[in-house]
Amino acid sequence: VELFNAEELNSFGSFGIKLKPVDEMKRMWLIRAESEDEQNQWIEVFMNACKRSQPEPQSDEVYSEAFRCAYRVTRASYGYFGVFSIIGTESEMLEQLTYAVLNREILDDHIAVTSTNQTSPVKKKNVSTQVRSTVHKIVKPIVKSTWTAALDTALSMQKS
């Protein structure tokens, strides 16, 4: 939850609130209040909602802990060290990690080479946005379906 910056104030007016998702590829919401008091009330509501929103936890704590451990090790193997937050479902976390690795390992270099032919900074940004958006749209369903299948298999093996 953020206030409008100067450019957004000029474009959309006063008393604006920006709802920015953790995942930069998801939609950002711009909301305008009628007064500063109303703006502050909405900020409080949105901040409270953000603090309270949690994905439904995995019902089996062993699987949850195994996921967190494997996720930590996988992050480290790709050079992402340090503290991380559990934000979203397991498949959303894997999706974000996969996308981050693809960005760093492949897309950044590919976009740099592809956009060298573009003379305009706007065109370079458009190329970058288009490539990243396309890859993100491909990664999401692949990671989600793979995670769901792996979890279903593990749970079915536990029952037998």
Side-chain angles (χ1 to χ4, degrees):
V1 178
E2 295 178 5
L3 298 177
F4 280 1
N5 61 32
E7 183 181 330
E8 291 159 342
L9 282 171
N10 287 336
S11 298
F12 304 114
S14 302
F15 314 119
I17 303 167
K18 198 171 9 179
L19 301 177
K20 291 178 70 172
V22 174
D23 181 350
E24 68 202 35
M25 297 306 290
K26 292 187 178 173
R27 182 177 180 171
M28 178 172 44
W29 292 86
L30 302 177
I31 300 166
R32 225 179 87 212
E34 294 295 321
S35 67
E36 186 175 358
D37 186 47
E38 184 182 25
Q39 179 187 38
N40 291 333
Q41 289 174 357
W42 276 112
I43 289 172
E44 188 177 328
V45 167
F46 289 132
M47 293 296 286
N48 189 36
C50 290
K51 287 179 193 172
R52 293 176 180 254
S53 69
Q54 295 290 327
E56 190 165 324
Q58 173 54 254
S59 59
D60 190 325
E61 187 54 38
V62 173
Y63 283 104
S64 292
E65 185 55 34
F67 173 82
R68 287 190 291 271
C69 181
Y71 185 79
R72 187 178 310 110
V73 170
T74 304
R75 278 177 50 88
S77 72
Y78 283 100
Y80 293 101
F81 298 100
V83 178
F84 67 92
S85 299
I86 303 292
I87 298 176
T89 64
E90 287 95 345
S91 68
E92 289 171 336
M93 291 176 63
L94 289 172
E95 172 194 330
Q96 290 172 5
L97 179 59
T98 302
Y99 184 69
V101 170
L102 285 171
N103 261 324
R104 189 185 66 199
E105 301 292 326
I106 299 170
L107 293 182
D108 289 343
D109 290 340
H110 175 72
I111 290 169
V113 170
T114 305
S115 64
T116 55
N117 297 337
Q118 304 298 330
T119 55
S120 161
V122 172
K123 287 184 179 180
K124 284 183 181 185
K125 183 173 175 143
N126 287 345
V127 167
S128 174
T129 302
Q130 197 171 24
V131 169
R132 290 180 199 286
S133 176
T134 301
V135 170
H136 194 265
K137 287 176 186 174
I138 293 168
V139 165
K140 184 175 183 168
I142 292 171
V143 170
K144 185 174 184 169
S145 62
T146 303
W147 170 251
T148 302
L151 184 60
D152 289 348
T153 301
L155 292 172
S156 70
M157 289 173 63
Q158 180 186 31
K159 292 177 185 175
S160 44

